[in-house]
Amino acid sequence: MAQSAPGYSYNRMTREDYKKKKELEEARKAGNAPAEKDEEGRDINPHIPQYMTKVPWYQDSLQKPSLKHQRYKPKEKKPKKWYKRGKKGAKATKWVKGACENCGARTHNTKDCFERPRRKKVKFNNSNIVADDVLLDEPIDFDYDTQRDRWNGVDINQHSKLVDAKFKLLEAERKRIKKEKTLKEMEESKNKKKEEKQQDSNGSNKKKSILDEYDSSDSEGDSDYELEEDDDIKLTGDEGLHIKIAGNKRSRTTVRNLRIREDTPKYLLNLDLNSAHYDPKSRSMRSNPLPNKDPNEISHPGENFIRRTGDTNSFKETQRFAWEASKKGQNVHFQSAPTQIALGYQEFKEKKEKLVS
């Protein structure tokens, strides 16, 4: 018999016993034999594998097959304990052997002291001895999660007080700034109204003469009258004419209220289904929707006209020159050396003009 691990009994089965065990398992699976029971008297499903029902040797080798070790074991809820905040114990009048040499407390040593390192230790002068720390009767047993919890021991009430105090300060500052801003706007509006009244009183005498001169010039068909910057006139008639001349130099001297917002969209210029395609996503219509009309008379001749305007043609000619030069054995490339191609093409055009002339 082989040596077994300590606390683990290793009983080797004979061939006949092993055969009987297999037959019993088959009978239990077929329902011809009663199911096996665990220590608590519960039936064990015969179809559950043996590696699940068999208790590990390191847990309990003499235990009968069961599923007890597979079930969830709820943790015992322990009452929450924490250190007493802000409380101090008794205070010694003289330094005692074994106490902290820095502050004089008897509940910790010099290495674990949180006080500021003093120049002269309490051990030598016995002055300003700190009170002892309050220790718990039983030490707090931290589990794995509690030791790594960032917010372990946080006092929510104390934190809420800090948040409320900060919020009140911010709210008071916000109200103060809003009040100052409102008062400033009210003062500016009052000053602006006073200035407008002064301008109205100064310009009331000039309005009649300017209106008369405007009417006379309009009847003659000549509207080239120039007004001064200090004048402020608004005229609205059947023609929609609006003239505003104010003392501010930034304001326009003459504005005609003739803005028309009835421009036909480019996708409605030609309603034929076979006309130019309109892409609603990019809002583009590349081809001309009315090819039979004069492009100068159409509001939208299509986006493709951009390809034939500006430096597009010269760019194509330069690129074609680079291709032809590379075919004839020249070591040039349009993308790698564009300056070389441009200078070469310019020299080519000058030579060509000389030969033609």
Side-chain angles (χ1 to χ4, degrees), residues 158-209:
Q158 184 180 3
H159 179 69
S160 61
K161 288 179 181 178
L162 292 174
V163 172
D164 292 341
K166 187 176 181 181
F167 175 76
K168 287 178 182 178
L169 290 174
L170 293 173
E171 188 68 17
E173 185 68 16
R174 187 186 66 80
K175 288 181 180 179
R176 185 186 66 80
I177 294 171
K178 187 176 180 181
K179 186 177 179 181
E180 291 180 356
K181 188 177 179 181
T182 306
L183 293 174
K184 189 177 179 180
E185 289 177 354
M186 290 173 65
E187 188 176 357
E188 289 178 355
S189 63
K190 287 181 181 178
N191 296 333
K192 191 175 181 181
K193 287 181 180 178
K194 288 181 181 179
E195 291 177 0
E196 289 178 355
K197 286 182 180 179
Q198 291 177 359
Q199 290 179 1
D200 292 341
S201 62
N202 295 332
S204 59
N205 299 325
K206 297 182 181 180
K207 285 185 179 180
K208 292 182 180 179
S209 60

Short mmCIF file of all heavy atoms in Angstrom, two decimals, residues 158-209:
data_model
loop_
_atom_site.label_atom_id
_atom_site.label_comp_id
_atom_site.label_asym_id
_atom_site.label_seq_id
_atom_site.Cartn_x
_atom_site.Cartn_y
_atom_site.Cartn_z
N GLN A 158 -19.93 64.48 8.56
CA GLN A 158 -18.90 65.51 8.54
C GLN A 158 -18.64 65.99 7.11
O GLN A 158 -18.47 67.19 6.86
CB GLN A 158 -17.61 64.95 9.16
CG GLN A 158 -16.50 65.96 9.28
CD GLN A 158 -15.25 65.37 9.90
OE1 GLN A 158 -15.21 64.18 10.19
NE2 GLN A 158 -14.24 66.19 10.10
N HIS A 159 -18.64 65.05 6.16
CA HIS A 159 -18.43 65.42 4.77
C HIS A 159 -19.57 66.29 4.23
O HIS A 159 -19.35 67.26 3.51
CB HIS A 159 -18.28 64.15 3.93
CG HIS A 159 -18.08 64.42 2.47
ND1 HIS A 159 -16.93 64.99 1.96
CD2 HIS A 159 -18.91 64.23 1.40
CE1 HIS A 159 -17.03 65.12 0.66
NE2 HIS A 159 -18.22 64.67 0.29
N SER A 160 -20.81 65.95 4.62
CA SER A 160 -21.95 66.76 4.17
C SER A 160 -21.90 68.17 4.74
O SER A 160 -22.28 69.14 4.07
CB SER A 160 -23.25 66.07 4.57
OG SER A 160 -23.33 65.94 5.98
N LYS A 161 -21.40 68.32 5.96
CA LYS A 161 -21.26 69.66 6.53
C LYS A 161 -20.27 70.49 5.73
O LYS A 161 -20.49 71.68 5.46
CB LYS A 161 -20.82 69.55 7.99
CG LYS A 161 -21.90 69.05 8.93
CD LYS A 161 -21.38 68.96 10.35
CE LYS A 161 -22.46 68.42 11.29
NZ LYS A 161 -21.94 68.28 12.68
N LEU A 162 -19.15 69.88 5.35
CA LEU A 162 -18.16 70.59 4.55
C LEU A 162 -18.72 71.00 3.19
O LEU A 162 -18.51 72.11 2.71
CB LEU A 162 -16.92 69.72 4.36
CG LEU A 162 -16.09 69.43 5.62
CD1 LEU A 162 -14.99 68.43 5.29
CD2 LEU A 162 -15.46 70.70 6.16
N VAL A 163 -19.48 70.10 2.58
CA VAL A 163 -20.08 70.39 1.27
C VAL A 163 -21.10 71.53 1.38
O VAL A 163 -21.14 72.44 0.54
CB VAL A 163 -20.72 69.13 0.67
CG1 VAL A 163 -21.51 69.45 -0.58
CG2 VAL A 163 -19.65 68.09 0.36
N ASP A 164 -21.92 71.48 2.45
CA ASP A 164 -22.92 72.54 2.63
C ASP A 164 -22.26 73.90 2.85
O ASP A 164 -22.70 74.92 2.31
CB ASP A 164 -23.82 72.20 3.82
CG ASP A 164 -24.70 70.99 3.53
OD1 ASP A 164 -24.86 70.67 2.34
OD2 ASP A 164 -25.20 70.37 4.48
N ALA A 165 -21.19 73.92 3.66
CA ALA A 165 -20.50 75.19 3.92
C ALA A 165 -19.89 75.75 2.63
O ALA A 165 -20.00 76.95 2.34
CB ALA A 165 -19.41 74.97 4.97
N LYS A 166 -19.28 74.87 1.83
CA LYS A 166 -18.69 75.32 0.57
C LYS A 166 -19.78 75.80 -0.40
O LYS A 166 -19.61 76.82 -1.08
CB LYS A 166 -17.90 74.18 -0.06
CG LYS A 166 -17.10 74.56 -1.27
CD LYS A 166 -16.27 73.40 -1.76
CE LYS A 166 -15.45 73.80 -2.98
NZ LYS A 166 -14.65 72.66 -3.49
N PHE A 167 -20.91 75.11 -0.44
CA PHE A 167 -22.00 75.50 -1.33
C PHE A 167 -22.57 76.86 -0.92
O PHE A 167 -22.89 77.70 -1.77
CB PHE A 167 -23.10 74.44 -1.31
CG PHE A 167 -24.32 74.81 -2.09
CD1 PHE A 167 -24.33 74.75 -3.47
CD2 PHE A 167 -25.48 75.25 -1.44
CE1 PHE A 167 -25.45 75.11 -4.19
CE2 PHE A 167 -26.59 75.60 -2.15
CZ PHE A 167 -26.59 75.53 -3.53
N LYS A 168 -22.70 77.09 0.39
CA LYS A 168 -23.23 78.37 0.85
C LYS A 168 -22.30 79.52 0.48
O LYS A 168 -22.75 80.60 0.08
CB LYS A 168 -23.44 78.32 2.36
CG LYS A 168 -24.63 77.45 2.76
CD LYS A 168 -24.77 77.39 4.27
CE LYS A 168 -25.94 76.49 4.68
NZ LYS A 168 -26.06 76.37 6.15
N LEU A 169 -21.00 79.30 0.60
CA LEU A 169 -20.05 80.34 0.21
C LEU A 169 -20.14 80.65 -1.28
O LEU A 169 -20.17 81.82 -1.69
CB LEU A 169 -18.63 79.90 0.57
CG LEU A 169 -18.29 79.86 2.07
CD1 LEU A 169 -16.91 79.26 2.26
CD2 LEU A 169 -18.34 81.25 2.67
N LEU A 170 -20.20 79.60 -2.10
CA LEU A 170 -20.31 79.81 -3.55
C LEU A 170 -21.62 80.49 -3.92
O LEU A 170 -21.66 81.36 -4.80
CB LEU A 170 -20.19 78.46 -4.27
CG LEU A 170 -18.82 77.78 -4.20
CD1 LEU A 170 -18.91 76.39 -4.80
CD2 LEU A 170 -17.78 78.60 -4.93
N GLU A 171 -22.70 80.12 -3.25
CA GLU A 171 -24.00 80.72 -3.55
C GLU A 171 -24.02 82.20 -3.18
O GLU A 171 -24.56 83.04 -3.91
CB GLU A 171 -25.09 79.96 -2.80
CG GLU A 171 -26.51 80.35 -3.18
CD GLU A 171 -26.86 79.93 -4.59
OE1 GLU A 171 -26.15 79.08 -5.15
OE2 GLU A 171 -27.84 80.47 -5.12
N ALA A 172 -23.41 82.53 -2.02
CA ALA A 172 -23.36 83.94 -1.62
C ALA A 172 -22.52 84.76 -2.60
O ALA A 172 -22.90 85.88 -2.97
CB ALA A 172 -22.77 84.04 -0.21
N GLU A 173 -21.39 84.21 -3.06
CA GLU A 173 -20.56 84.91 -4.02
C GLU A 173 -21.28 85.09 -5.35
O GLU A 173 -21.19 86.15 -6.01
CB GLU A 173 -19.25 84.15 -4.22
CG GLU A 173 -18.24 84.83 -5.10
CD GLU A 173 -17.69 86.09 -4.48
OE1 GLU A 173 -17.85 86.27 -3.26
OE2 GLU A 173 -17.09 86.90 -5.21
N ARG A 174 -22.01 84.06 -5.78
CA ARG A 174 -22.76 84.15 -7.03
C ARG A 174 -23.84 85.23 -6.95
O ARG A 174 -24.02 86.02 -7.91
CB ARG A 174 -23.40 82.80 -7.34
CG ARG A 174 -24.06 82.71 -8.70
CD ARG A 174 -24.79 81.41 -8.86
NE ARG A 174 -25.92 81.31 -7.96
CZ ARG A 174 -27.11 81.86 -8.17
NH1 ARG A 174 -27.32 82.59 -9.25
NH2 ARG A 174 -28.07 81.72 -7.29
N LYS A 175 -24.55 85.30 -5.83
CA LYS A 175 -25.59 86.33 -5.67
C LYS A 175 -24.98 87.72 -5.66
O LYS A 175 -25.54 88.67 -6.22
CB LYS A 175 -26.36 86.08 -4.38
CG LYS A 175 -27.28 84.87 -4.44
CD LYS A 175 -28.04 84.71 -3.15
CE LYS A 175 -28.97 83.50 -3.21
NZ LYS A 175 -29.70 83.31 -1.93
N ARG A 176 -23.80 87.86 -5.04
CA ARG A 176 -23.16 89.17 -4.99
C ARG A 176 -22.76 89.64 -6.40
O ARG A 176 -22.99 90.79 -6.78
CB ARG A 176 -21.92 89.10 -4.09
CG ARG A 176 -21.24 90.43 -3.87
CD ARG A 176 -19.96 90.25 -3.09
NE ARG A 176 -18.99 89.50 -3.85
CZ ARG A 176 -18.22 90.03 -4.80
NH1 ARG A 176 -18.33 91.31 -5.13
NH2 ARG A 176 -17.36 89.28 -5.44
N ILE A 177 -22.17 88.72 -7.17
CA ILE A 177 -21.76 89.07 -8.53
C ILE A 177 -22.97 89.40 -9.40
O ILE A 177 -22.96 90.36 -10.20
CB ILE A 177 -20.95 87.92 -9.14
CG1 ILE A 177 -19.62 87.76 -8.39
CG2 ILE A 177 -20.68 88.15 -10.62
CD1 ILE A 177 -18.85 86.51 -8.76
N LYS A 178 -24.05 88.64 -9.23
CA LYS A 178 -25.27 88.90 -10.01
C LYS A 178 -25.87 90.25 -9.66
O LYS A 178 -26.34 91.00 -10.54
CB LYS A 178 -26.28 87.78 -9.75
CG LYS A 178 -27.50 87.84 -10.64
CD LYS A 178 -28.41 86.67 -10.39
CE LYS A 178 -29.64 86.73 -11.29
NZ LYS A 178 -30.54 85.58 -11.04
N LYS A 179 -25.85 90.60 -8.37
CA LYS A 179 -26.40 91.89 -7.94
C LYS A 179 -25.59 93.04 -8.52
O LYS A 179 -26.14 94.03 -9.03
CB LYS A 179 -26.39 91.94 -6.42
CG LYS A 179 -27.06 93.17 -5.84
CD LYS A 179 -27.06 93.10 -4.33
CE LYS A 179 -27.73 94.36 -3.74
NZ LYS A 179 -27.73 94.31 -2.25
N GLU A 180 -24.24 92.93 -8.47
CA GLU A 180 -23.39 93.98 -9.03
C GLU A 180 -23.62 94.13 -10.54
O GLU A 180 -23.67 95.24 -11.06
CB GLU A 180 -21.93 93.65 -8.76
CG GLU A 180 -21.54 93.77 -7.29
CD GLU A 180 -20.09 93.44 -7.06
OE1 GLU A 180 -19.41 93.05 -8.04
OE2 GLU A 180 -19.62 93.55 -5.91
N LYS A 181 -23.74 92.99 -11.23
CA LYS A 181 -23.97 93.03 -12.67
C LYS A 181 -25.31 93.70 -13.00
O LYS A 181 -25.42 94.50 -13.94
CB LYS A 181 -23.93 91.61 -13.23
CG LYS A 181 -23.95 91.54 -14.73
CD LYS A 181 -23.82 90.10 -15.19
CE LYS A 181 -23.87 90.02 -16.71
NZ LYS A 181 -23.76 88.62 -17.18
N THR A 182 -26.36 93.38 -12.23
CA THR A 182 -27.68 93.98 -12.46
C THR A 182 -27.66 95.49 -12.24
O THR A 182 -28.22 96.27 -13.02
CB THR A 182 -28.71 93.32 -11.54
OG1 THR A 182 -28.66 91.90 -11.70
CG2 THR A 182 -30.12 93.80 -11.86
N LEU A 183 -27.01 95.90 -11.15
CA LEU A 183 -26.92 97.33 -10.87
C LEU A 183 -26.15 98.07 -11.97
O LEU A 183 -26.51 99.18 -12.37
CB LEU A 183 -26.26 97.56 -9.51
CG LEU A 183 -27.05 97.09 -8.28
CD1 LEU A 183 -26.21 97.23 -7.03
CD2 LEU A 183 -28.34 97.89 -8.14
N LYS A 184 -25.09 97.44 -12.46
CA LYS A 184 -24.31 98.06 -13.52
C LYS A 184 -25.12 98.19 -14.80
O LYS A 184 -25.06 99.23 -15.48
CB LYS A 184 -23.06 97.22 -13.76
CG LYS A 184 -22.06 97.86 -14.69
CD LYS A 184 -20.81 96.99 -14.81
CE LYS A 184 -19.82 97.64 -15.75
NZ LYS A 184 -18.59 96.80 -15.89
N GLU A 185 -25.89 97.14 -15.16
CA GLU A 185 -26.72 97.21 -16.36
C GLU A 185 -27.80 98.28 -16.24
O GLU A 185 -28.10 99.00 -17.20
CB GLU A 185 -27.35 95.84 -16.62
CG GLU A 185 -26.35 94.79 -17.09
CD GLU A 185 -27.01 93.44 -17.26
OE1 GLU A 185 -28.21 93.32 -16.90
OE2 GLU A 185 -26.32 92.50 -17.73
N MET A 186 -28.39 98.40 -15.03
CA MET A 186 -29.42 99.43 -14.83
C MET A 186 -28.83 100.84 -14.99
O MET A 186 -29.44 101.73 -15.60
CB MET A 186 -30.04 99.27 -13.44
CG MET A 186 -30.92 98.04 -13.29
SD MET A 186 -31.46 97.77 -11.60
CE MET A 186 -32.47 99.21 -11.35
N GLU A 187 -27.64 101.03 -14.45
CA GLU A 187 -26.99 102.34 -14.57
C GLU A 187 -26.64 102.66 -16.02
O GLU A 187 -26.83 103.79 -16.49
CB GLU A 187 -25.73 102.35 -13.71
CG GLU A 187 -25.07 103.71 -13.60
CD GLU A 187 -23.90 103.69 -12.65
OE1 GLU A 187 -23.65 102.63 -12.04
OE2 GLU A 187 -23.22 104.73 -12.54
N GLU A 188 -26.16 101.65 -16.76
CA GLU A 188 -25.84 101.87 -18.17
C GLU A 188 -27.08 102.19 -18.98
O GLU A 188 -27.06 103.05 -19.87
CB GLU A 188 -25.14 100.63 -18.74
CG GLU A 188 -23.73 100.44 -18.21
CD GLU A 188 -23.08 99.19 -18.76
OE1 GLU A 188 -23.80 98.43 -19.47
OE2 GLU A 188 -21.89 98.95 -18.48
N SER A 189 -28.19 101.49 -18.69
CA SER A 189 -29.43 101.77 -19.43
C SER A 189 -29.95 103.18 -19.15
O SER A 189 -30.42 103.88 -20.06
CB SER A 189 -30.50 100.74 -19.06
OG SER A 189 -30.82 100.83 -17.68
N LYS A 190 -29.82 103.65 -17.89
CA LYS A 190 -30.24 105.01 -17.57
C LYS A 190 -29.40 106.05 -18.32
O LYS A 190 -29.92 107.01 -18.89
CB LYS A 190 -30.14 105.24 -16.06
CG LYS A 190 -31.20 104.53 -15.25
CD LYS A 190 -31.04 104.83 -13.78
CE LYS A 190 -32.11 104.10 -12.95
NZ LYS A 190 -31.92 104.36 -11.50
N ASN A 191 -28.09 105.83 -18.33
CA ASN A 191 -27.21 106.76 -19.04
C ASN A 191 -27.50 106.77 -20.54
O ASN A 191 -27.46 107.82 -21.20
CB ASN A 191 -25.75 106.40 -18.80
CG ASN A 191 -25.36 106.55 -17.34
OD1 ASN A 191 -25.95 107.36 -16.62
ND2 ASN A 191 -24.38 105.78 -16.89
N LYS A 192 -27.81 105.59 -21.08
CA LYS A 192 -28.11 105.51 -22.50
C LYS A 192 -29.40 106.25 -22.85
O LYS A 192 -29.49 106.95 -23.88
CB LYS A 192 -28.23 104.03 -22.90
CG LYS A 192 -28.29 103.81 -24.40
CD LYS A 192 -28.26 102.33 -24.70
CE LYS A 192 -28.31 102.10 -26.21
NZ LYS A 192 -28.30 100.65 -26.53
N LYS A 193 -30.42 106.14 -21.98
CA LYS A 193 -31.67 106.85 -22.22
C LYS A 193 -31.48 108.37 -22.16
O LYS A 193 -32.06 109.12 -22.95
CB LYS A 193 -32.71 106.42 -21.20
CG LYS A 193 -33.25 105.02 -21.44
CD LYS A 193 -34.29 104.66 -20.40
CE LYS A 193 -34.83 103.25 -20.64
NZ LYS A 193 -35.82 102.87 -19.60
N LYS A 194 -30.64 108.80 -21.23
CA LYS A 194 -30.36 110.24 -21.14
C LYS A 194 -29.69 110.75 -22.40
O LYS A 194 -30.03 111.81 -22.95
CB LYS A 194 -29.48 110.52 -19.92
CG LYS A 194 -30.19 110.37 -18.60
CD LYS A 194 -29.26 110.68 -17.45
CE LYS A 194 -29.97 110.51 -16.10
NZ LYS A 194 -29.05 110.78 -14.96
N GLU A 195 -28.71 109.98 -22.92
CA GLU A 195 -28.03 110.38 -24.15
C GLU A 195 -28.99 110.42 -25.33
O GLU A 195 -28.93 111.32 -26.18
CB GLU A 195 -26.88 109.42 -24.43
CG GLU A 195 -25.74 109.53 -23.43
CD GLU A 195 -24.65 108.51 -23.69
OE1 GLU A 195 -24.83 107.72 -24.66
OE2 GLU A 195 -23.65 108.50 -22.96
N GLU A 196 -29.90 109.45 -25.42
CA GLU A 196 -30.86 109.43 -26.51
C GLU A 196 -31.80 110.63 -26.45
O GLU A 196 -32.15 111.23 -27.48
CB GLU A 196 -31.66 108.13 -26.48
CG GLU A 196 -30.86 106.91 -26.88
CD GLU A 196 -31.67 105.64 -26.79
OE1 GLU A 196 -32.83 105.72 -26.32
OE2 GLU A 196 -31.15 104.58 -27.19
N LYS A 197 -32.22 111.01 -25.24
CA LYS A 197 -33.08 112.18 -25.10
C LYS A 197 -32.37 113.45 -25.54
O LYS A 197 -32.95 114.31 -26.22
CB LYS A 197 -33.54 112.31 -23.65
CG LYS A 197 -34.58 111.29 -23.24
CD LYS A 197 -35.02 111.51 -21.81
CE LYS A 197 -36.07 110.48 -21.40
NZ LYS A 197 -36.48 110.66 -19.99
N GLN A 198 -31.09 113.57 -25.17
CA GLN A 198 -30.32 114.73 -25.59
C GLN A 198 -30.17 114.77 -27.11
O GLN A 198 -30.29 115.83 -27.73
CB GLN A 198 -28.95 114.72 -24.93
CG GLN A 198 -29.00 114.97 -23.43
CD GLN A 198 -27.63 114.89 -22.79
OE1 GLN A 198 -26.64 114.63 -23.46
NE2 GLN A 198 -27.58 115.12 -21.47
N GLN A 199 -29.92 113.66 -27.73
CA GLN A 199 -29.79 113.61 -29.19
C GLN A 199 -31.11 113.94 -29.87
O GLN A 199 -31.14 114.64 -30.91
CB GLN A 199 -29.30 112.23 -29.63
CG GLN A 199 -27.86 111.94 -29.26
CD GLN A 199 -27.43 110.55 -29.69
OE1 GLN A 199 -28.22 109.82 -30.29
NE2 GLN A 199 -26.19 110.20 -29.38
N ASP A 200 -32.22 113.45 -29.31
CA ASP A 200 -33.53 113.75 -29.91
C ASP A 200 -33.83 115.25 -29.83
O ASP A 200 -34.35 115.86 -30.78
CB ASP A 200 -34.63 112.97 -29.20
CG ASP A 200 -34.50 111.48 -29.47
OD1 ASP A 200 -33.84 111.13 -30.47
OD2 ASP A 200 -35.04 110.68 -28.68
N SER A 201 -33.52 115.86 -28.72
CA SER A 201 -33.77 117.29 -28.57
C SER A 201 -32.89 118.13 -29.49
O SER A 201 -33.33 119.15 -30.03
CB SER A 201 -33.54 117.70 -27.10
OG SER A 201 -32.19 117.46 -26.74
N ASN A 202 -31.65 117.69 -29.70
CA ASN A 202 -30.75 118.44 -30.58
C ASN A 202 -31.08 118.25 -32.06
O ASN A 202 -30.89 119.16 -32.87
CB ASN A 202 -29.30 118.01 -30.34
CG ASN A 202 -28.82 118.37 -28.94
OD1 ASN A 202 -29.31 119.34 -28.35
ND2 ASN A 202 -27.89 117.60 -28.41
N GLY A 203 -31.57 117.06 -32.43
CA GLY A 203 -31.82 116.79 -33.84
C GLY A 203 -33.23 117.03 -34.29
O GLY A 203 -33.56 116.82 -35.47
N SER A 204 -34.15 117.47 -33.40
CA SER A 204 -35.55 117.69 -33.80
C SER A 204 -35.67 118.88 -34.76
O SER A 204 -36.56 118.91 -35.61
CB SER A 204 -36.40 117.93 -32.56
OG SER A 204 -35.90 119.05 -31.84
N ASN A 205 -34.78 119.86 -34.62
CA ASN A 205 -34.85 121.04 -35.48
C ASN A 205 -34.37 120.76 -36.90
O ASN A 205 -34.74 121.47 -37.85
CB ASN A 205 -34.01 122.17 -34.88
CG ASN A 205 -34.52 122.59 -33.52
OD1 ASN A 205 -35.73 122.57 -33.29
ND2 ASN A 205 -33.62 122.94 -32.62
N LYS A 206 -33.52 119.76 -37.09
CA LYS A 206 -32.96 119.48 -38.41
C LYS A 206 -33.82 118.54 -39.24
O LYS A 206 -33.62 118.40 -40.44
CB LYS A 206 -31.57 118.87 -38.27
CG LYS A 206 -30.57 119.80 -37.61
CD LYS A 206 -29.22 119.14 -37.53
CE LYS A 206 -28.20 120.07 -36.85
NZ LYS A 206 -26.87 119.42 -36.78
N LYS A 207 -34.78 117.83 -38.61
CA LYS A 207 -35.53 116.80 -39.34
C LYS A 207 -36.41 117.40 -40.43
O LYS A 207 -36.51 116.89 -41.53
CB LYS A 207 -36.39 115.99 -38.36
CG LYS A 207 -35.58 115.01 -37.54
CD LYS A 207 -36.49 114.14 -36.69
CE LYS A 207 -35.67 113.16 -35.88
NZ LYS A 207 -36.52 112.30 -35.04
N LYS A 208 -37.08 118.53 -40.11
CA LYS A 208 -38.02 119.11 -41.07
C LYS A 208 -37.31 119.57 -42.33
O LYS A 208 -37.75 119.29 -43.46
CB LYS A 208 -38.75 120.27 -40.42
CG LYS A 208 -39.68 119.85 -39.31
CD LYS A 208 -40.40 121.04 -38.73
CE LYS A 208 -41.35 120.62 -37.62
NZ LYS A 208 -42.05 121.77 -37.03
N SER A 209 -36.19 120.25 -42.18
CA SER A 209 -35.46 120.73 -43.35
C SER A 209 -34.94 119.58 -44.20
O SER A 209 -34.98 119.62 -45.43
CB SER A 209 -34.30 121.63 -42.91
OG SER A 209 -33.41 120.90 -42.09
#
